[in-house]
Amino acid sequence: MKNNYLKTMIGCLTLFAAMGINAQTTTGDIAKQLSGTASGSVKLVDNKGTIKYLQAANGMTTLTNTTNDRTTTTWQLGGTLTADTYIDVNESVFALDGIELIDTETSAPSSDTTDQSDHGTGSGWTLLVRDEATGAVKKLKATDLIQGGSYTHNQVSDADADFNISVPGISSEASQAWVYRNGAKLIAGTDYVVDADQVTIQSTTSDFPVYSGDIIEIQWIK
């Protein structure tokens, strides 16, 4: 009986030693937690009478039951991270199987998500993104992934020379902006060019005049 107990204890110590190789706390002492709590400690006595403690922390919890006069303590994933945690996959696959696919026909993007919200406090869905500066996983509203807009310019006088239309926030990529004159699409690079926060109608280059009352409609995404 004692040998089995010792083997169990050694197995647990080996498991947690292996988990602690890349743990964020690598120096100093970690204080013993109170027993009887989700992050508490479990007291062990080896065959030499040495008292030792095993405890869970930083995203892991323990659950102890004493059903039928048998005490069983289980370590399990799930809990609160108490320190920044990094896992170096070292060119190995880090994956999650069994993830549910969102049905966009029945489930809409979230319109009420908040910063650091708990599950069950919002609706819809958001996107997970990676902060390249810190490596942290964060969430992004679907509406913030692709941004765009439109602007309508009403010409008040005749013009046969190039002129600029101020469009704050427009993409500077021609492939992401579309310009129409009275409903007819203009040719990018010939009839117009886009730059930071503005569209230039090239009446001189394309040899077409713009008349008073013309409507220039500009649409873009980025």
Side-chain angles (χ1 to χ4, degrees), residues 147-222:
Q147 299 178 353
S150 63
Y151 180 80
T152 300
H153 169 79
N154 295 291
Q155 186 66 17
V156 297
S157 61
D158 296 349
D160 56 6
D162 296 356
F163 63 93
N164 298 327
I165 301 175
S166 178
V167 188
I170 191 172
S171 172
S172 60
E173 296 291 333
S175 61
Q176 298 175 337
W178 302 268
V179 180
Y180 302 84
R181 177 195 180 202
N182 299 327
K185 185 181 182 305
L186 301 183
I187 300 174
T190 299
D191 299 332
Y192 70 92
V193 293
V194 294
D195 203 345
D197 296 333
Q198 76 175 20
V199 170
T200 300
I201 303 299
Q202 301 191 124
S203 295
T204 301
T205 303
S206 58
D207 193 27
F208 73 85
V210 177
Y211 300 108
S212 174
D214 281 354
I215 297 177
I216 308 295
E217 182 181 2
I218 304 167
Q219 300 175 352
W220 76 93
I221 62 171
K222 65 176 181 178

Side-chain angles (χ1 to χ4, degrees), residues 14-201:
T14 302
L15 171 63
F16 278 87
M19 293 176 59
I21 292 175
N22 293 317
Q24 301 306 296
T25 302
T26 58
T27 60
D29 297 328
I30 299 177
K32 185 179 78 67
Q33 303 297 317
L34 296 176
S35 60
T37 62
S39 59
S41 59
V42 177
K43 182 178 181 180
L44 299 175
V45 180
D46 64 18
N47 61 340
K48 294 184 179 180
T50 302
I51 297 176
K52 299 179 180 180
Y53 295 89
L54 294 178
Q55 61 188 27
N58 203 28
M60 295 192 66
T61 58
T62 60
L63 180 64
T64 301
N65 74 72
T66 56
T67 305
N68 298 325
D69 296 325
R70 176 177 297 176
T71 300
T72 302
T73 299
T74 303
W75 281 265
Q76 57 188 358
L77 292 176
T80 301
L81 289 181
T82 56
D84 294 339
T85 302
Y86 294 88
I87 299 175
D88 186 351
V89 299
N90 193 28
E91 298 184 0
S92 299
V93 174
F94 179 75
L96 298 174
D97 290 338
I99 301 298
E100 180 182 3
L101 181 65
I102 291 176
D103 184 350
T104 56
E105 296 294 328
T106 59
S107 181
S110 177
S111 60
D112 56 2
T113 185
T114 57
D115 182 43
Q116 299 183 14
S117 58
D118 294 330
H119 67 279
T121 59
S123 61
W125 48 270
T126 55
L127 303 170
L128 292 184
V129 296
R130 182 178 187 268
D131 187 332
E132 290 298 319
T134 64
V137 176
K138 298 182 179 180
K139 61 184 179 181
L140 176 72
K141 288 184 176 180
T143 52
D144 291 333
L145 179 63
I146 299 179
Q147 299 178 353
S150 63
Y151 180 80
T152 300
H153 169 79
N154 295 291
Q155 186 66 17
V156 297
S157 61
D158 296 349
D160 56 6
D162 296 356
F163 63 93
N164 298 327
I165 301 175
S166 178
V167 188
I170 191 172
S171 172
S172 60
E173 296 291 333
S175 61
Q176 298 175 337
W178 302 268
V179 180
Y180 302 84
R181 177 195 180 202
N182 299 327
K185 185 181 182 305
L186 301 183
I187 300 174
T190 299
D191 299 332
Y192 70 92
V193 293
V194 294
D195 203 345
D197 296 333
Q198 76 175 20
V199 170
T200 300
I201 303 299

